[in-house]
Amino acid sequence: MNKIVLWSITAALAGFLFGFDVVVISGADKKLQALWHSSDAFHGAVVMGMALWGTVIGAIFGGIPTNRFGRKITLLSIGILYALSAIGTAFSNDPYVFAFFRFVGGLGVGASTIAAPAYISEIAPAKDRGRLVSMYQFNIVFGILIAFLSNYLLSGIGDNDWRWMLGVQSIPAIIYTLLVLIVPESPRWLVSKGRIAEAQKVMKIVSADQDSESLVSQMENEQADSPDDNIFMKKYRFPLILAFLVAFFNQMSGINAFLYYAPRIFGEAGLGEKTALLSSIGIGIVNMVFTLVGVNLIDKVGRRTLMYIGSIGYIVSLGLVSMAFYFQWSGLAIPIFLFLFIASHAIGQGTVIWVFISEIFPNHLRASGQAFGSSTHWVLAAIIPSLIPTLFSTIGAGTVFFIFTVAMVFQLLFVIFMMPETKGISLEKLSKTLTKE
């Protein structure tokens, strides 16, 4: 078991680099705009926004190398992309070169949301799969906190402090890349490529308490039944709909919109700049604590229970935020309601999304299914936050949060009537249950 935990933590570190990469730019934001005299539109769309479009491309196409070259090679490539991005942005002398290297880092972020959860789900025993895969999400949250801390510590060390803020990511990126060299390839991917002897060798370690030959044989049978399938075939419609809806509701909660615009939202609520900044740090802490709670509960109470808790928490907290804006409640009401919202997200959708999508597709289609769910997530993550400033100024923050509340009522109905429980069930058995012949 210790080896499985070590390999899972190594793959999950791709999530740490994801979290770090997404947030580290915040420390350099205003300095870069002043340095290159960029207009707001150019700075937002090119300098700041290019990483997000890299993420969308990485998510859409990341399933191809994950399927063709394997989970391990893709994880290794992700580490190289992160290191290149960190070093390239640190040494950039114009906004176009900078944007290019941020795009490269974005490709790593997008691909990591496919390769890392797929890899961990395929080496993890069924009883521990939720906890091990959700370490990826925990590492994202941890990476975000460390990036904020790193930016704070490096701020003011000189005129070029922004170069150090961005370049420091190369250290964890290189460490992660070296660690990936020691992990084995996914046994389920090896079976899909006919490398049975190698798969059995890994399965002996992964499932020491079970008959590894029998497990590999089950994988071979699944592969033999449908070698030329794709995720858009009629029999895979149910897992495809599940992946789409989980990713859709994840973003329709408003989570990314909120994370990107937390200080602006607190400002709209009438809080001063210092209070808004303090509240933003509080968000990071609440997010991390409740993600840890979710990681520890996911294999005990199951995915659906966490989604129930998260959905009800969403409806209550978003409803209260909406009312606070409508009725102009002042003071710390909105930060408290938004902390409840972050806790609901962290324990529910935050913990569940990457685990659930990595479980519901057959072995030979997992990377493609993961790419579909991840792409849905990232396209919406690009669109929804970009609409927030306009929506706030036209229909108002209260109405925006009311729309998010209604969407979460529909998520609760999805959990009650559609979402299957995947806790403790082998991937092969799940595949048979969810595939409709």
Side-chain angles (χ1 to χ4, degrees):
M1 184 61 192
N2 287 340
K3 278 190 176 178
I4 299 167
V5 171
L6 175 66
W7 299 339
S8 299
I9 289 170
T10 299
L13 284 174
F16 174 87
L17 293 166
F18 164 177
F20 197 104
D21 186 86
V22 166
V23 163
V24 75
I25 188 69
S26 64
D29 176 11
K30 288 180 181 175
K31 289 167 187 173
L32 291 173
Q33 187 167 9
L35 177 69
W36 290 321
H37 310 292
S38 308
S39 68
D40 287 345
F42 181 85
H43 180 69
V46 179
V47 177
M48 296 294 285
M50 200 51 75
L52 192 54
W53 294 111
T55 301
V56 170
I57 300 296
I60 291 170
F61 296 106
I64 296 170
T66 309
N67 263 335
R68 186 169 298 173
F69 306 115
R71 285 44 165 159
K72 179 174 176 172
I73 292 289
T74 307
L75 288 170
L76 203 60
S77 305
I78 288 163
I80 294 165
L81 289 172
Y82 280 129
L84 277 174
S85 175
I87 295 164
T89 50
F91 285 99
S92 293
N93 286 316
D94 73 75
Y96 298 100
V97 173
F98 183 90
F100 169 76
F101 281 108
R102 285 292 292 163
F103 180 83
V104 167
L107 291 175
V109 171
S112 81
T113 59
I114 298 163
Y119 177 80
I120 301 168
S121 74
E122 290 177 346
I123 62 162
K127 63 183 177 61
D128 301 308
R129 192 172 59 238
R131 183 170 58 90
L132 292 175
V133 178
S134 59
M135 283 197 304
Y136 174 74
Q137 175 66 20
F138 171 76
N139 270 284
I140 294 172
V141 175
F142 185 47
I144 288 169
L145 263 185
I146 296 299
F148 277 129
L149 181 63
S150 170
N151 282 352
Y152 173 75
L153 293 173
L154 292 169
S155 179
I157 62 166
D159 290 342
N160 286 323
D161 56 356
W162 64 270
R163 295 188 187 274
W164 290 98
M165 289 178 188
L166 292 155
V168 76
Q169 192 191 355
S170 61
I171 298 168
I174 290 165
I175 292 168
Y176 159 80
T177 307
L178 293 172
L179 285 172
V180 171
L181 291 170
I182 66 168
V183 306
E185 183 51 89
S186 154
R188 288 174 166 91
W189 180 81
L190 289 168
V191 168
S192 75
K193 298 298 175 186
R195 292 156 64 176
I196 309 304
E198 291 172 72
Q200 284 177 340
K201 199 184 287 185
V202 180
M203 281 306 290
K204 275 177 186 168
I205 302 168
V206 169
S207 302
D209 56 341
Q210 292 176 278
D211 180 1
S212 60
E213 288 188 15
S214 153
L215 289 170
V216 170
S217 176
Q218 283 177 37
M219 294 173 207
E220 281 187 274
N221 291 339
E222 186 197 283
Q223 175 69 19
D225 287 345
S226 45
D228 301 314
D229 284 2
N230 67 72
I231 56 165
F232 298 105
M233 293 176 74
K234 190 177 178 182
K235 61 179 174 177
Y236 301 120
R237 189 173 294 167
F238 187 53
L240 199 71
I241 291 169
L242 292 175
F244 174 81
L245 288 175
V246 166
F248 174 80
F249 285 127
N250 183 287
Q251 287 304 301
M252 281 306 294
S253 69
I255 182 63
N256 270 31
F258 171 60
L259 288 176
Y260 291 173
Y261 294 108
R264 183 191 290 247
I265 291 166
F266 290 135
E268 290 261 341
L271 298 183
E273 196 177 332
K274 277 195 172 178
T275 316
L277 206 59
L278 198 63
S279 299
S280 300
I281 293 165
I283 287 160
I285 294 165
V286 170
N287 201 358
M288 189 158 163
V289 168
F290 281 89
T291 299
L292 262 178
V293 174
V295 168
N296 283 306
L297 287 177
I298 192 165
D299 283 321
K300 293 172 185 167
V301 302
R303 289 59 160 154
R304 287 185 80 214
T305 303
L306 291 187
M307 287 287 282
Y308 271 122
I309 296 166
S311 299
I312 293 164
Y314 273 149
I315 294 163
V316 171
S317 58
L318 287 167
L320 287 169
V321 171
S322 180
M323 288 168 70
F325 277 112
Y326 274 126
F327 300 115
Q328 297 181 325
W329 297 342
S330 58
L332 291 173
I334 285 183
I336 289 166
F337 300 155
L338 286 171
F339 285 168
L340 175 59
F341 166 72
I342 286 291
S344 305
H345 174 80
I347 203 169
Q349 269 276 12
T351 300
V352 171
I353 179 171
W354 304 119
V355 176
F356 187 73
I357 295 174
S358 73
E359 295 175 319
I360 56 177
F361 291 96
N363 293 326
H364 63 298
L365 296 175
R366 181 157 299 108
S368 305
Q370 194 89 20
F372 175 79
S374 182
S375 302
T376 304
H377 173 277
W378 283 114
V379 169
L380 289 169
I383 294 168
I384 294 171
S386 67
L387 296 174
I388 289 298
T390 308
L391 290 172
F392 273 16
S393 61
T394 51
I395 62 174
T399 307
V400 171
F401 282 101
F402 177 71
I403 292 166
F404 290 148
T405 308
V406 172
M408 291 305 93
V409 172
F410 282 103
Q411 174 176 277
L412 181 60
L413 294 173
F414 159 71
V415 175
I416 294 168
F417 295 109
M418 268 188 82
M419 186 179 177
E421 182 54 76
T422 55
K423 177 188 81 157
I425 305 169
S426 77
L427 295 175
E428 286 70 35
K429 195 170 178 184
L430 277 172
S431 170
K432 279 187 179 173
T433 308
L434 299 177
T435 301
K436 312 289 184 189
E437 292 295 347

